[in-house]
Amino acid sequence: RGGPKDLPIAEFYIDDDDSEARRRLKDKPRLVVLGGGWGGVALLKDLDPEAYHVTVIAPTNYFLFTPMLPSATVGTLELRSLVEPIRRILGRVNGHFIRAKADDIEFSDKLVEVSQRDGDGKEVRFYVPYDKLVIAVGSTTNPHGVKGLENAFFLKNIDDARGIRNRVIHNFELACLPTTSDEERRRLLSFVVSGGGPTGVEFAAELYDLLNEDLSRYFPRLLRNEISVHIIQSRSNILNTYDEAVSKYAEEHFARDQVNVMTNSRVKEVQPDKIIFTQKQDDGTLITKELPTGFCLWSTGVAPTALSRTLAKKLGSVQTNRHALETDTHLRLNGSPLGDVYAIGDCATVQNNVADHIITFLRTYAWKQGKDPETVQLHFTDWRRVAQDVKRRFPQASDHLKRLDKLFAEFDKDQSGTLDFGELRELLKQIDNKLTSLPATAQRAHQQGRYLAQKLNKMAQLQDGLAVNDIRDGDLDAAVYKAFEYHHLGNLAYIGNSAVFDLGKGWSIAGGLWAVYTWRSVYFAQSVSLRTRLLMAMDWAKRGLFGRDLIS
Ligand code: FAD
Ligand code: MG
Ligand code: MG
Ligand code: MG
Ligand code: MG
């Protein structure tokens, strides 16, 4: 026992002597990873199997292939095809798994406080010691303070997907009962998606596919015009983090497919049989409306988990971001002892430095023109170039950079038709303040996990071999490896028999089978194992031949 709370310390792993490989790792530095999602698993995949004594702690014992989760809600894919056991993934590094929740971290004692319910439902609590700790606990759904969310469905994990699938099919069955009134049938078949981001949009598209492809086959009694799919979006466009043209395309596509997209609308309350929402009119007034519904999906963005909130509070003023744990550019958690603790994925963000980046850009720009950066005058066309560059480096800024001409006019305080250095800096500072974090995507979590694995491998090599004499200020991270840099590889969304790509430099749309196939193969390539690939391929083949299994 020990630590500030005098809890048992899980110091010894009985299975450390199980095999020769494990015996070799017994005295290696203890690397503890919190979370077995995209970030954690990317790290495990690239870690040198001889370098660390690895322990993963997570309440779920599987990795979930989230990009395909919307497909699983309607039975296009089987749920088991989207998951992979963490213990299998850990095999490569001969690691350990503890199925439990991390609740707190004692940074000075290097202990993670962990809890779990035992077989009798009693809570057990203990510490797990670490030498290096990686926090990769992801995020939770953002409730936005809306009432009645117990009546809504979320889409984060396998249980959620299973719940949605059962409800959708159950509603179809109820709608077919001879005793169901017309009005009740329309309500049961009215599906509402709150949130016009990629998850909401993809779910709507999958649902729509299901309705068109399989419904007439299994439920010939149901009339197509009795079914409705609605997307309620608070912004003025759906997919608003994508290029404007992409969101336009998606909206037109949905309009053609009779998916009802309601923008500038906010859900206020979810009741068991209806949704109450407000809609902003052109003149700025709000109108409150009601929509009878038999199903509501809540997918309006992410919020920090309980652990992230606890840690942010504990670390105090160095953690200023309300949405995620802040790290430095080496992904070290700000405020924790240097080099002990890292944070990656949805739960973390690298401190923004849009302004720094642009100032470097401006220096180069001025230098090329043989001028002093302080005297540079940016015309609108130059500004457009700068903005493109910012968008590419900081995709999360795209939304704030939509009205380029308006921004230019607003910050050209002296109305000279050009932005000087000071004006541009003000503009970028404002954007920087508005930027919350790097995008909460699998793509980013994956890059950070890989980056960290490579760095940890390097560190292990160095410590095994030569002593490091020339580490400045004890900053081993900076001495052995470069800073993390995010490479935006584009956004991608499935919108129903076609896919939209937003590749940063431009956008493209592809319709028809080819696009769908490309869309899927992009995820194929990202997919974690051959097992998963085979299972998915079998699911698609099966669906093509026999349709979806509509049982619940
Ligand atoms: P996660 O993958 O969420 O993993 C978190 C892990 O931490 C889990 O194992 C969890 O059990 C564990 N955990 C939670 N709390 C604790 C705790 N207290 N202690 C220990 N462990 C804990 N991104 C894309 O790039 N492209 C897409 O198409 C895409 N589609 C998506 C579709 C859906 C339906 C969803 C929900 C997400 C989608 N995303 C997509 C986003 C992507 O899934 C996330 O950005 C990504 O999962 C983040 O990885 P992570 O490792 O930070 O967290
Ligand atoms: Mg993770
Ligand atoms: Mg995951
Ligand atoms: Mg998606
Ligand atoms: Mg000016």
Side-chain angles (χ1 to χ4, degrees):
R1 300 183 79 92
K5 293 193 186 158
D6 194 34
L7 296 173
I9 299 182
E11 190 65 78
F12 304 105
Y13 290 88
I14 358 162
D15 49 357
D16 267 346
D17 290 310
D18 274 2
S19 65
E20 178 47 36
R22 286 207 156 158
R23 260 195 299 278
R24 273 205 307 276
L25 295 173
K26 211 168 150 178
D27 299 316
K28 296 281 181 188
R30 286 163 303 189
L31 172 65
V32 175
V33 181
L34 308 182
W38 278 95
V41 164
L43 168 75
L44 295 175
K45 290 263 159 176
D46 271 19
L47 198 68
D48 174 358
E50 296 294 329
Y52 292 91
H53 180 277
V54 180
T55 305
V56 171
I57 302 173
T60 43
N61 61 358
Y62 57 81
F63 165 78
L64 175 60
F65 194 66
T66 48
M68 290 308 194
L69 200 54
S71 301
T73 56
V74 297
T76 311
L77 288 173
E78 297 300 327
L79 291 170
R80 65 175 161 69
S81 306
L82 306 187
V83 298
E84 180 148 19
I86 290 292
R87 285 178 185 276
R88 185 201 300 265
I89 297 168
L90 271 169
R92 198 184 68 87
V93 294
N94 289 292
H96 305 266
F97 179 69
I98 298 176
R99 184 172 192 169
K101 198 158 99 309
D103 292 327
D104 202 353
I105 297 166
E106 302 300 344
F107 294 106
S108 41
D109 302 273
K110 295 195 178 203
L111 297 169
V112 184
E113 183 184 333
V114 168
S115 72
Q116 173 62 298
R117 302 220 165 263
D118 69 7
D120 304 325
K122 210 177 86 225
E123 191 188 68
V124 289
R125 211 164 255 291
F126 54 96
Y127 284 128
V128 178
Y130 62 84
D131 296 307
K132 294 244 175 227
L133 179 67
V134 178
I135 306 171
V137 293
S139 52
T140 59
T141 309
N142 194 339
H144 289 289
V146 164
K147 271 191 290 186
L149 282 191
E150 64 277 7
N151 300 314
F153 287 79
F154 300 144
L155 183 51
K156 280 294 263 188
N157 58 39
I158 282 289
D159 292 338
D160 296 339
R162 192 175 288 126
I164 290 173
R165 184 171 170 165
N166 289 347
R167 169 63 77 90
V168 169
I169 294 167
H170 188 58
N171 282 6
F172 287 157
E173 298 290 5
L174 288 182
C176 286
L177 291 179
T179 47
T180 303
S181 69
D182 285 354
E183 191 191 355
E184 175 68 354
R185 186 159 57 244
R186 277 180 212 280
R187 181 188 74 78
L188 286 166
L189 299 176
S190 153
F191 298 92
V192 174
V193 174
S194 179
T199 298
V201 163
E202 291 196 357
F203 172 75
E206 290 282 355
L207 186 63
Y208 186 82
D209 283 356
L210 162 79
L211 301 178
N212 278 330
E213 290 167 15
D214 289 323
L215 208 68
S216 52
R217 175 153 32 167
Y218 290 111
F219 297 93
R221 266 189 65 105
L222 297 180
L223 296 175
R224 184 62 192 85
N225 64 10
E226 289 178 319
I227 304 170
S228 56
V229 179
H230 315 266
I231 299 178
I232 300 183
Q233 160 76 328
S234 57
R235 307 290 193 103
S236 51
N237 296 98
I238 56 171
L239 295 179
N240 67 292
T241 55
Y242 288 51
D243 193 278
E244 227 172 332
V246 170
S247 27
K248 275 258 132 47
Y249 179 86
E251 277 163 17
E252 281 160 17
H253 185 96
F254 277 148
R256 222 171 29 246
D257 279 354
Q258 291 158 323
V259 171
N260 173 23
V261 177
M262 291 179 276
T263 51
N264 297 316
S265 303
R266 246 170 223 286
V267 172
K268 290 289 157 201
E269 189 176 348
V270 183
Q271 294 184 1
D273 57 353
K274 63 173 178 281
I275 300 263
I276 298 168
F277 66 102
T278 56
Q279 203 165 36
K280 199 164 161 189
Q281 305 301 298
D282 289 339
D283 60 5
T285 55
L286 288 181
I287 298 190
T288 303
K289 292 186 174 177
E290 280 185 15
L291 185 63
T293 180
F295 172 90
C296 172
L297 175 73
W298 188 257
S299 64
T300 57
V302 299
T305 62
L307 177 67
S308 297
R309 283 199 306 269
T310 304
L311 296 180
K313 213 166 126 203
K314 192 169 202 167
L315 295 169
S317 60
V318 290
Q319 292 289 340
T320 51
N321 192 311
R322 283 182 305 114
H323 304 274
L325 294 167
E326 264 174 346
T327 71
D328 65 10
T329 52
H330 292 272
L331 308 188
R332 294 172 294 197
L333 180 64
N334 282 351
S336 68
L338 195 70
D340 287 356
V341 186
Y342 300 87
I344 59 174
D346 281 6
C347 69
T349 186
V350 179
Q351 256 176 345
N352 288 317
N353 46 6
V354 179
D356 288 355
H357 170 73
I358 295 308
I359 286 165
T360 316
F361 177 90
L362 267 189
R363 292 234 162 85
T364 324
Y365 178 83
W367 180 75
K368 276 190 195 145
Q369 300 193 334
K371 285 190 195 145
D372 177 0
E374 305 283 335
T375 65
V376 164
Q377 296 285 334
L378 234 57
H379 291 276
F380 185 68
T381 43
D382 303 322
W383 158 237
R384 183 174 284 173
R385 280 234 310 280
V386 174
Q388 287 304 335
D389 189 60
V390 178
K391 277 192 203 171
R392 200 154 49 233
R393 287 293 201 98
F394 304 94
Q396 73 273 33
S398 307
D399 204 34
H400 305 294
L401 282 170
K402 266 190 186 145
R403 308 284 307 276
L404 289 182
D405 45 345
K406 213 178 128 217
L407 272 172
F408 189 89
E410 187 185 326
F411 281 84
D412 181 13
K413 293 263 156 41
D414 59 2
Q415 302 192 339
S416 62
T418 56
L419 291 178
D420 62 30
F421 194 73
E423 287 168 342
L424 185 65
R425 200 171 42 206
E426 276 311 304
L427 192 165
L428 295 165
K429 233 170 55 204
Q430 196 206 56
I431 291 174
D432 203 51
N433 289 341
K434 279 191 191 157
L435 286 189
T436 46
S437 48
L438 287 172
T441 61
Q443 196 184 109
R444 194 257 291 202
H446 181 80
Q447 285 180 23
Q448 291 189 318
R450 287 194 62 180
Y451 163 87
L452 208 51
Q454 281 151 9
K455 182 157 73 178
L456 289 169
N457 291 347
K458 263 253 163 72
M459 284 181 173
Q461 278 167 14
L462 262 177
Q463 270 154 352
D464 278 354
L466 304 160
V468 202
N469 294 320
D470 53 352
I471 299 172
R472 245 180 296 135
D473 312 321
D475 192 342
L476 183 65
D477 286 75
V480 301
Y481 209 60
K482 58 184 191 247
F484 172 75
E485 215 179 296
Y486 172 65
H487 296 284
H488 188 57
L489 301 175
N491 288 322
L492 192 81
Y494 178 61
I495 54 174
N497 286 323
S498 62
V500 287
F501 304 82
D502 177 356
L503 299 173
K505 296 186 188 73
W507 59 280
S508 60
I509 300 289
L513 218 56
W514 176 85
V516 181
Y517 189 77
T518 313
W519 174 77
R520 282 168 179 167
S521 61
V522 169
Y523 285 124
F524 257 162
Q526 282 184 4
S527 176
V528 283
S529 73
L530 183 62
R531 173 184 168 275
T532 305
R533 281 186 222 191
L534 283 176
L535 289 175
M536 283 193 200
M538 280 172 357
D539 290 348
W540 283 318
K542 200 178 83 188
R543 198 215 76 195
L545 288 170
F546 309 114
R548 297 168 178 83
D549 287 336
L550 295 180
I551 47 165
S552 65

